[in-house]
Amino acid sequence: MHVFVAGGSGFVEYAVCKLLQERGHTWTAGPNKVSWSELMENGLPECDAVINLCGGNPFDPMKKWNEEFKDEIIKSIVEPNSNIAKLISDMNQPPKVFVSASAVAYYPPSRSAQYTEDDPAGTGYFSCLNADSEKAAMQAKSDKTRVAVVRIGSALGKDGGVMKEMKFKFQLGFGGVIGSGEQFFPWIHVDDIAGIFIHAIENDQVEGALNATAPGVTTNHDFTKAFAAALWRPSIFPLPEFIVKAMFGSERAVVFLEGYNVQPKRTLESGYTFKYTSLTDAINDIVL
């Protein structure tokens, strides 16, 4: 199978492309190698599947949370799906499957609710962002092309994600819970993110939403304790709620402070087997 992979040069794309190669597939990277303007003018290269991993980072603390930045994020996440859907629709021989990245922020943050793929989107900025992105991707669906969206949780990996961002602080012994620490933490190892994408392109019955979160319930406190233990460091310096709000603004801070309990119901029902279901095993694989 030849796969066109749209996305940046991030650690998730690296894991996806590495697994594609291991599974015997070939792949073409874009639009880093091929610009969007070229793609829209010349069309997608001939391929059996398309994977979209495009999107800016809305949680960059160096970016001021204002309407300009919000629009920039929307453009970086929704437009690629719209473009790809149009390109696929224009093809005489379209790919058999299009799989796009989404996020668990599709659901409203909550300290009590549990979500599966059957639950509706929330009404806040991040929920609408991901719902609009998924809606754009679904425009590619036809009797020739099936579409799946992968709602990714907090990615754990050596070369990116939350652990890379927090590791230095924890190594110095300044790690701690965020806010109360009681909020849910929907983690997933990057190997399983890649695994779910490949599972989706390889299995003809897989379509619609797939939650990319490890099964079970984990809190920020659980993660903090496990991460600190793997590094042989204490975790006694919490990050207070008011500092999180000051750093990110209230609209972004709620994602960290409320959290999400998201279960991969349809992902498991589709036949995917998680490589990492234990938080300790996932962290040790990355840290050790």
Side-chain angles (χ1 to χ4, degrees):
M1 184 180 292
H2 186 70
V3 184
F4 180 80
V5 182
S9 57
F11 80 119
V12 172
E13 184 193 27
Y14 175 80
V16 168
C17 293
K18 180 173 180 287
L19 187 55
L20 281 171
Q21 185 172 341
E22 290 174 359
R23 299 283 294 178
H25 304 298
T26 57
W27 51 273
T28 299
N32 271 12
K33 306 297 184 184
V34 183
S35 71
W36 280 114
S37 58
E38 286 181 81
L39 281 177
M40 298 310 291
E41 181 178 349
N42 301 321
L44 284 174
E46 185 175 335
C47 57
D48 303 297
V50 176
I51 291 176
N52 177 32
L53 301 171
C54 292
N57 176 16
F59 299 105
D60 183 347
M62 303 306 293
K63 293 284 190 177
K64 187 176 181 180
W65 191 239
N66 53 29
E67 294 304 315
E68 181 182 359
F69 184 50
K70 288 182 183 181
D71 290 343
E72 179 183 323
I73 292 299
I74 291 171
K75 184 176 181 180
S76 74
I77 292 176
V78 179
E79 279 194 12
N81 273 343
S82 297
N83 290 338
I84 292 171
K86 184 181 186 306
L87 289 167
I88 289 174
S89 299
D90 290 343
M91 296 176 74
N92 292 325
Q93 293 184 314
K96 296 178 180 178
V97 58
F98 171 35
V99 186
S100 177
S102 184
V104 296
Y106 172 92
Y107 308 103
S110 173
R111 294 194 184 189
S112 57
Q114 176 174 289
Y115 302 113
T116 70
E117 294 90 344
D118 300 325
D119 289 298
T123 57
Y125 170 83
F126 290 105
S127 294
C128 292
L129 170 66
N130 286 286
D132 288 347
S133 175
E134 293 184 14
K135 183 179 179 181
M138 287 298 172
Q139 297 303 307
K141 185 176 180 180
S142 70
D143 57 353
K144 294 181 179 180
T145 304
R146 59 188 170 85
V147 178
V149 293
V150 181
R151 296 171 182 160
I152 302 172
S154 296
L156 306 184
K158 292 180 181 179
D159 302 314
V162 294
M163 288 181 66
K164 182 179 180 181
E165 295 169 2
M166 299 170 63
K167 188 175 181 180
F168 182 67
K169 177 183 174 183
F170 272 71
Q171 285 177 323
L172 292 177
F174 294 120
V177 299
I178 297 175
S180 70
E182 297 174 357
Q183 67 273 31
F184 297 116
F185 183 74
W187 67 275
I188 182 169
H189 193 290
V190 68
D191 286 357
D192 278 314
I193 298 176
I196 292 170
F197 274 94
I198 308 313
H199 172 73
I201 68 169
E202 290 182 337
N203 293 276
D204 292 341
Q205 81 282 3
V206 177
E207 59 183 333
L210 299 172
N211 285 339
T213 54
V217 179
T218 302
T219 65
N220 176 259
H221 177 270
D222 297 330
F223 169 74
T224 301
K225 183 178 178 181
F227 191 22
L231 294 171
W232 293 87
R233 294 292 187 273
S235 55
I236 57 175
F237 294 95
L239 186 62
E241 183 173 322
F242 77 90
I243 293 182
V244 179
K245 290 181 177 179
M247 288 174 61
F248 294 99
S250 296
E251 196 168 33
R252 287 191 291 184
V254 69
V255 173
F256 300 103
L257 298 172
E258 295 296 318
Y260 304 87
N261 178 3
V262 177
Q263 299 303 312
K265 177 176 175 286
R266 292 190 72 248
T267 306
L268 292 169
E269 290 174 349
S270 73
Y272 181 73
T273 300
F274 280 81
K275 184 177 180 180
Y276 294 96
T277 57
S278 162
L279 178 62
T280 300
D281 289 347
I283 290 176
N284 285 340
D285 172 74
I286 295 164
V287 171
L288 301 181

